Amino acid sequence: MRLMGSLCGFLVCFLSCIALAQSPHYVDINVKETAGVRFLRPLTGGIPIPEGAAQPGSEFIVTTPGGKVVPSQSKVLATWGDGSARWVLIDFQADPQPGSTEAFRLGWKPGKRIQPVEPKPEKLTTKKGLTVSSGPVTLKTAPGALLRVSDRFDLKFSMVDSKGVRCEAVADSGLVETSGALRTTLLIKGSFFTPNGTRVADFRLRASVFHGLQQFYLEPQLLAHADTGMITRFKDLSLELHSAAGYQSARLGGLSATPVIRSGSNPVRLFQVDDENFRMEGTSGKGSKAPGWMEVKDGKGTMAIALRDFWQQWPKSLQISGNTASVGLFPAFRAGTFAHMGPWYKHEYLFEDDHYRVREGQTRRWQIWCDLTGDGERLVKSANRQLIPAANPEQAIATGEWGVIAAAGTKGMSDYDKWAEGLFQGYCNSIREQRDYGAMNWGDWFGERGVNWGNNEYDTPLTILTQFARTGDPEYFYVGEQAARHTSEVDVVHALNDDLKKYFSRWERPEYTSHTGMVHEHSIGHVGGFQPVEKIRELYVSRNIGAGNPNPYLCLDPYNLGHIWTEGMAYYYLLTGDPWVKETLERISNNLVRLTEDGLYRNFKGTDHSGRVNGWTMLAFAGIYRVNLSPRVLKAMRFIADEALVEQNLPSGGWMYKLPWGHCNCVSLEDRKKGVTPHVGEAGFLTSIRLNGLGRYFRLTQDKRIPNSLKRAVDNLNNSTWHDHLSGWRYTSCPASGLVDQPGVTIMALVNSVSINGDKEQLRVLKKAWDFRFKNLLDHPLTSRPGLGKVYSATMYGAPEAMNLFVNGKLD
């Protein structure tokens, strides 16, 4: 027996070594230049690695295809269960020809196993500061400023409160967050204080320098968090660069003939009023979409400053006044300036009289690039189209990190690739034509229920970043990036004071009290709290939102667990290493795990929308688990799966609830009050969402209970809602409910069941529904209309998985 055990152990080890030897030792990387400029630029990006290929301690090397080593630095962002690297963040530099694609390769070799040490924040004092430098660029903390730039400029972050009082950003702590051969990043945290010491809001500032380059990156961040007050009100928020020697001249990009502003002239400001208009103040001139750059010249040279997506994030400004160059992140304005931007429920929430309003717990970040060699026009083009290291799609997908999909351009995918690109272009066109822009809106789409910002329902960043993985096309990354950043900044409750808790109390329940990490669903103002609740109710009733219900659900509270999406954010973190997004995911995770560990989640069972709550919460945990293989998260998924299985009806395989108003209108609201029972069952999309959560849980755990649960549930879904002659599903199990476009979540539910169980009848229904949907959208492509963002996300959800199943599935 002992000998047999030894032989078995040897065989397992031998087979493992063979598998490891056969596993690839590199991933090909493409860098596509789309800005139309050429100069040496830094790149940062995440690359997925096959399981077991890069064991703990591996050293990562970037080379050209010919084997020439390219200077780089790396960091493991996530690992497989065996400890091998799963995602690796790499930094290097490149200067591809405009419009060209340059090839690189990420390889690895065994190295020493070194336990990473997380940097610890330090208190900043006048005696002890922090410095990061690379060649000609030195950034250091200094008295009276957040940073001193190469002993030439003092960087300040200032706010003017609603009373007109200037509030300085005061640093409280700082640390060198990343220290490497190619990139070093400094993080500073603190608060804005009035002169009398009252804290108005919090801030962060990340600053990065790059080896040998005269470019540096600034990421200022506002976090609305005050001791009192639900709304942070302020007149101006600006990042300022004060010249030590004085500015000799400056230029603001935007006009065809860029004027030179001489030293000593009156203040000049370029003010981007909305997404279609800017004007010059202090001098003549106006235009449409300002590019968002300026140049300032002191006695030591010219520095360029560029704000990414300048006009898209209106209002914005660039200003030169004396020895101060300012980037207006929320620039000062006069009352009525934005009155032309309607309707009120789309834009008004941000503006009140002559000041801004940001709700407690919201945050916003900005991406600013500076270059000590000048050339603002070149710099802003680069800022808007950063070089992105894209893993070879076939290799990236082969790791399993993107699910069961196929790379663009592979066998059988040409028609689908055109279809998916057409949908994406329709989405982008809708954003443009609906003018879905703004300081707190950028990255989201408008039109849910016709009046709400969508808050990226159905995980818009997930669907777009999946296309980036399939194609390697950075255009998908740029759009998906802004969607992920919006979700992680605007829609999540990052801070919570007593006044916000009081506002939430009207919706709070004993089983779900207020905590940070809650996520807002689609809402007016993204998060609500800007207008009286009754005003929102009157709007909904006037537009018949809620199918005639005099008390429709207002979508103003963050307690709805059926509208939490983390997978797109998780992929964005793994593609960028963005520490704020990881922090956001941890905050959401802590809130959700708490509900399961305290047993409070059980109170969400038995409701007619529990399918949405079951499914999206499990999928939210799946996104979190992708970043951190935490046993607590997997245990929480198991808890929710158990709750879903307990409620599954044994005879039918479905979930049987009294259908609510809007899902079954066969019984009037008055008769319902008298006890008349409507039809029972569940909306098909809710069943589908639950099944997708169970399917993802199964792929992580191989829980033997799940396959049969999926099969029985899909059979019930088809039996109760499918119309074979119409190639579609009804909205609900109520026979009077109408036919709906094939929702992506239902396509994905059948993909899950078919791929796990191999049922031929379910495959037939899936194929018939898909063919109808595919042809319909080929003949009638999406262009623009209110709520198109939701249609795009809901349509693309499950689409690449379905197409892969039809082309590459092995069910026979």
Side-chain angles (χ1 to χ4, degrees):
M1 291 292 292
R2 184 177 300 172
L3 177 61
M4 181 63 71
S6 299
L7 288 173
C8 288
F10 172 78
L11 183 60
V12 169
C13 182
F14 177 72
L15 293 175
S16 297
C17 290
I18 291 177
L20 197 59
Q22 293 176 342
S23 65
H25 287 274
Y26 64 85
V27 175
D28 289 318
I29 297 171
N30 292 317
V31 177
K32 184 177 181 180
E33 204 291 320
T34 62
V37 297
R38 186 178 188 189
F39 63 114
L40 191 61
R41 291 187 270 171
L43 298 87
T44 301
I47 305 296
I49 306 295
E51 184 174 9
Q55 290 297 308
S58 293
E59 296 180 14
F60 295 90
I61 305 164
V62 176
T63 67
T64 65
K68 181 181 178 182
V69 175
V70 178
S72 64
Q73 71 183 62
S74 63
K75 175 185 178 181
V76 175
L77 293 178
T79 59
W80 294 97
D82 64 356
S84 61
R86 188 157 56 90
W87 281 85
V88 175
L89 185 72
I90 55 171
D91 284 87
F92 62 103
Q93 297 171 7
D95 62 341
Q97 291 277 359
S100 70
T101 299
E102 193 168 348
F104 296 89
R105 179 168 285 175
L106 175 65
W108 50 88
K109 62 181 182 180
K112 297 180 180 179
R113 297 190 178 211
I114 301 174
Q115 189 69 24
V117 178
E118 288 294 325
K120 295 182 179 180
E122 300 179 28
K123 283 283 185 181
L124 294 177
T125 66
T126 55
K127 295 181 180 179
K128 183 180 180 181
L130 293 171
T131 301
V132 295
S133 62
S134 181
V137 180
T138 299
L139 307 179
K140 61 182 179 182
T141 58
L146 293 181
L147 287 176
R148 184 157 292 157
V149 180
S150 299
D151 290 325
R152 292 171 59 184
F153 311 101
D154 276 359
L155 181 71
K156 296 185 178 183
F157 202 5
S158 70
M159 173 185 283
V160 177
D161 70 12
S162 60
K163 298 178 181 178
V165 176
R166 179 182 169 89
C167 307
E168 288 275 350
V170 179
D172 174 68
S173 64
L175 74 158
V176 178
E177 189 176 53
T178 299
S179 181
L182 270 290
R183 173 176 59 89
T184 300
T185 299
L186 174 65
L187 169 63
I188 299 173
K189 297 181 181 181
S191 302
F192 293 96
F193 291 97
T194 63
N196 63 10
T198 302
R199 184 169 64 91
V200 180
D202 292 338
F203 82 91
R204 295 186 183 185
L205 176 67
R206 281 187 168 87
S208 298
V209 297
F210 307 93
H211 176 72
L213 302 183
Q214 298 199 51
Q215 304 160 46
F216 59 97
Y217 173 73
L218 301 172
E219 186 180 84
Q221 178 176 3
L222 170 70
L223 175 58
H225 183 35
D227 297 328
T228 60
M230 186 179 74
I231 304 293
T232 297
R233 291 176 167 83
F234 55 95
K235 293 176 179 284
D236 181 88
L237 181 74
S238 296
L239 195 71
E240 303 171 348
L241 281 160
H242 299 259
S243 171
Y247 292 125
Q248 298 175 350
S249 63
R251 298 199 309 155
L252 305 179
L255 300 178
S256 55
T258 306
V260 176
I261 304 161
R262 299 298 178 185
S263 175
S265 64
N266 293 327
V268 175
R269 183 172 81 149
L270 183 154
F271 182 31
Q272 186 76 46
V273 180
D274 55 40
D275 59 296
E276 294 183 347
N277 297 281
F278 74 82
R279 64 172 180 253
M280 303 297 294
E281 298 173 345
T283 188
S284 60
K286 61 181 180 179
S288 178
K289 298 172 176 16
W293 63 266
M294 65 173 144
E295 295 172 355
V296 291
K297 185 177 181 180
D298 64 358
K300 297 182 179 180
T302 301
M303 181 173 71
I305 305 163
L307 172 60
R308 180 179 173 179
D309 297 337
F310 183 81
W311 61 266
Q312 293 93 330
Q313 300 183 76
W314 70 271
K316 288 291 174 283
S317 71
L318 300 171
Q319 179 171 312
I320 297 296
S321 179
N323 292 331
T324 302
S326 301
V327 180
L329 305 173
F330 283 102
F333 66 94
R334 294 179 179 177
T337 298
F338 310 112
H340 64 290
M341 294 301 294
W344 67 264
Y345 44 78
K346 184 173 183 178
H347 296 293
E348 184 187 85
Y349 71 92
L350 183 59
F351 311 109
E352 183 178 71
D353 298 327
D354 62 349
H355 57 263
Y356 298 94
R357 300 186 297 173
V358 179
R359 227 277 312 278
E360 169 80 5
Q362 288 188 299
T363 189
R364 210 50 169 141
R365 297 182 293 165
W366 297 271
Q367 297 165 283
I368 298 174
W369 286 86
C370 302
D371 193 329
L372 294 179
T373 65
D375 201 339
E377 186 172 4
R378 183 186 69 173
L379 182 64
V380 80
K381 288 179 179 179
S382 172
N384 288 327
R385 289 290 184 271
Q386 276 295 112
L387 294 178
I388 304 299
N392 174 281
E394 291 187 66
Q395 289 177 293
I397 290 169
T399 66
E401 277 298 276
W402 290 99
V404 188
I405 63 175
T410 55
K411 184 178 179 180
M413 284 291 170
S414 59
D415 287 343
Y416 176 81
D417 293 340
K418 295 175 184 176
W419 181 83
E421 171 64 14
L423 292 179
F424 176 69
Q425 291 302 326
Y427 171 80
C428 294
N429 289 339
S430 177
I431 296 293
R432 285 191 292 268
E433 293 179 28
Q434 288 192 164
R435 301 176 66 184
D436 291 347
Y437 303 111
M440 297 296 285
N441 306 330
W442 180 232
D444 197 11
W445 45 263
F446 182 79
E448 164 62 30
R449 293 188 168 195
V451 299
N452 294 343
W453 284 99
N455 287 9
N456 288 317
E457 185 168 12
Y458 287 89
D459 210 337
T460 307
L462 169 65
T463 57
I464 298 175
L465 291 176
T466 299
Q467 273 297 99
F468 169 66
R470 292 188 65 250
T471 63
D473 186 343
E475 288 300 321
Y476 288 108
F477 177 83
Y478 302 141
V479 178
E481 175 180 32
Q482 294 310 325
R485 288 173 72 96
H486 173 92
T487 299
S488 70
E489 296 166 19
V490 177
D491 304 335
V492 179
V493 179
H494 293 290
L496 193 63
N497 62 16
D498 289 341
D499 289 306
L500 184 56
K501 289 180 180 179
K502 183 178 179 181
Y503 171 74
F504 284 159
S505 66
R506 72 191 71 199
W507 299 288
E508 190 175 76
R509 293 170 286 175
E511 65 268 22
Y512 195 3
T513 55
S514 298
H515 282 77
T516 58
M518 297 189 299
V519 182
H520 278 276
E521 61 187 306
H522 44 73
S523 180
I524 291 177
H526 300 285
V527 298
F530 300 103
Q531 293 96 359
V533 171
E534 189 53 42
K535 183 177 181 179
I536 306 302
R537 181 177 288 108
E538 290 174 358
L539 172 67
Y540 278 28
V541 171
S542 71
R543 296 177 66 97
N544 200 36
I545 296 173
N549 188 340
N551 290 295
Y553 180 51
L554 302 181
C555 309
L556 295 175
D557 68 274
Y559 299 102
N560 191 321
L561 294 175
H563 288 79
I564 300 175
W565 300 281
T566 68
E567 292 186 282
M569 284 191 287
Y571 277 126
Y572 177 65
Y573 166 71
L574 295 169
L575 287 166
T576 64
D578 187 331
W580 172 259
V581 173
K582 184 179 182 181
E583 183 180 331
T584 299
L585 290 169
E586 291 170 348
R587 195 168 284 127
I588 294 171
S589 177
N590 290 337
N591 178 54
L592 295 179
V593 168
R594 174 187 61 85
L595 291 174
T596 63
E597 291 181 342
D598 294 348
L600 299 175
Y601 187 90
R602 288 193 176 94
N603 294 284
F604 293 91
K605 280 200 316 182
T607 69
D608 47 55
H609 274 66
S610 61
R612 189 201 305 262
V613 173
N614 286 160
W616 285 128
T617 309
M618 277 191 280
L619 290 166
F621 278 131
I624 293 162
Y625 191 73
R626 187 175 296 281
V627 170
N628 178 16
L629 303 181
S630 165
R632 289 183 68 207
V633 171
L634 209 58
K635 184 178 179 182
M637 286 189 77
R638 168 69 182 246
F639 183 96
I640 298 172
D642 290 346
E643 298 298 294
L645 295 176
V646 165
E647 285 198 277
Q648 189 171 16
N649 183 266
L650 287 176
S652 69
W655 283 264
M656 298 298 163
Y657 309 106
K658 293 180 182 179
L659 292 175
W661 184 253
H663 288 195
C664 171
N665 294 350
C666 296
V667 178
S668 68
L669 289 170
E670 291 74 17
D671 285 342
R672 284 172 179 260
K673 294 177 182 178
K674 296 175 183 177
V676 180
T677 302
H679 284 98
V680 297
E682 192 171 41
F685 80 97
L686 295 178
T687 298
S688 301
I689 293 168
R690 181 193 283 106
L691 298 185
N692 292 332
L694 289 170
R696 187 64 57 82
Y697 167 71
F698 172 75
R699 296 186 190 282
L700 291 175
T701 65
Q702 299 298 301
D703 188 321
K704 295 179 180 180
R705 301 172 298 167
I706 304 304
N708 187 51
S709 172
L710 293 177
K711 183 184 182 305
R712 292 171 58 243
V714 170
D715 283 343
N716 177 73
L717 176 69
N718 289 339
N719 291 336
S720 61
T721 65
W722 174 254
H723 289 283
D724 202 67
H725 66 292
L726 298 174
S727 300
W729 290 275
R730 286 199 309 269
Y731 183 48
T732 76
S733 53
C734 169
S737 63
L739 200 70
V740 295
D741 291 337
Q742 283 79 27
V745 290
T746 300
I747 294 290
M748 188 65 195
L750 268 72
V751 168
N752 275 317
S753 182
V754 169
S755 60
I756 291 171
N757 294 301
D759 186 89
K760 297 298 181 65
E761 173 59 16
Q762 291 182 4
L763 176 62
R764 183 193 71 81
V765 171
L766 173 63
K767 188 67 166 63
K768 189 169 185 179
W770 174 262
D771 286 344
F772 180 81
R773 174 199 212 194
F774 188 80
K775 183 179 185 305
N776 187 49
L777 282 173
L778 275 177
D779 295 341
H780 304 92
L782 299 176
T783 52
S784 79
R785 59 186 173 87
L788 181 59
K790 180 175 180 175
V791 176
Y792 171 79
S793 301
T795 300
M796 285 300 297
Y797 198 95
E801 291 84 358
M803 195 65 200
N804 179 68
L805 178 65
F806 300 139
V807 173
N808 299 313
K810 297 178 180 180
L811 299 174
D812 295 323

